[in-house]
Amino acid sequence: MLTRRLMLATGLAALAMPAMAEEPPIFATNRLAIQGYDPVAYFNQGKPVEGSEAHQLMWMGATWRFSSAANREAFERNPQRFAPQYGGYCAYAASQGYVAATDPSAFTVHEGKLYLNYSRRVRGIWEQDIPGHISSADANWPKPLKN
């Protein structure tokens, strides 16, 4: 578990509060998964790329946007391959047993999977032990959605 000092230093103190109600399975801001960024672009361009309203679809209760029809079609064929782990919630938070929002620019592609974090600072903590944090998050998930 995070120490109080680490939580304050990383800006996560407010996020450590348990959710008051069940969270949706996909983190979405204004119903947009990944704040409208293209999940496929993380894999084929190696960076966050804004999606377009012209190339969007509904999946798991959220709207997903893509930068091209080809990326949308790739996602449609295999959404599990491209969707961020832990429903797009902060992967580090999931490893600690809670949910937190994410910043599309705070990402890691590790062993063919997309992980998002609350901020670039939190991504730095995540990167110190990616396999360990994944193991913890996998063991916790999806329990944090129900806090």
Side-chain angles (χ1 to χ4, degrees), residues 2 5-13 92 118-119 121-122 125:
L2 286 175
R5 177 176 284 161
L6 180 59
M7 285 173 26
L8 292 171
T10 61
L12 290 175
Y92 178 75
Y118 173 74
S119 67
R121 176 183 237 174
V122 172
I125 298 167

Side-chain angles (χ1 to χ4, degrees), residues 89-144:
Y89 290 93
C90 176
Y92 178 75
S95 76
Q96 303 302 303
Y98 60 95
V99 297
T102 51
D103 174 349
S105 69
F107 75 97
T108 306
V109 174
H110 179 77
E111 295 185 355
K113 294 183 179 182
L114 175 60
Y115 300 90
L116 299 173
N117 289 113
Y118 173 74
S119 67
R120 290 179 186 185
R121 176 183 237 174
V122 172
R123 182 185 61 194
I125 298 167
W126 166 259
E127 289 174 334
Q128 291 174 12
D129 182 14
I130 293 174
H133 292 308
I134 290 171
S135 179
S136 295
D138 287 350
N140 289 335
W141 202 256
K143 288 180 280 190

Side-chain angles (χ1 to χ4, degrees), residues 52-67:
S52 164
E53 232 179 292
H55 307 292
Q56 67 181 24
L57 61 82
M58 288 290 295
W59 183 69
M60 298 278 299
T63 300
W64 298 76
R65 290 189 174 167
F66 305 89
S67 57

Side-chain angles (χ1 to χ4, degrees), residues 9-67:
T10 61
L12 290 175
L15 298 173
M17 305 285 285
M20 299 307 287
E22 189 168 321
E23 298 292 335
I26 301 294
F27 173 70
T29 305
N30 298 322
R31 299 188 157 246
L32 289 176
I34 318 177
Q35 297 178 35
Y37 282 78
D38 180 342
V40 178
Y42 289 99
F43 295 91
N44 63 19
Q45 294 183 43
K47 64 181 182 179
V49 175
E50 284 191 65
S52 164
E53 232 179 292
H55 307 292
Q56 67 181 24
L57 61 82
M58 288 290 295
W59 183 69
M60 298 278 299
T63 300
W64 298 76
R65 290 189 174 167
F66 305 89
S67 57

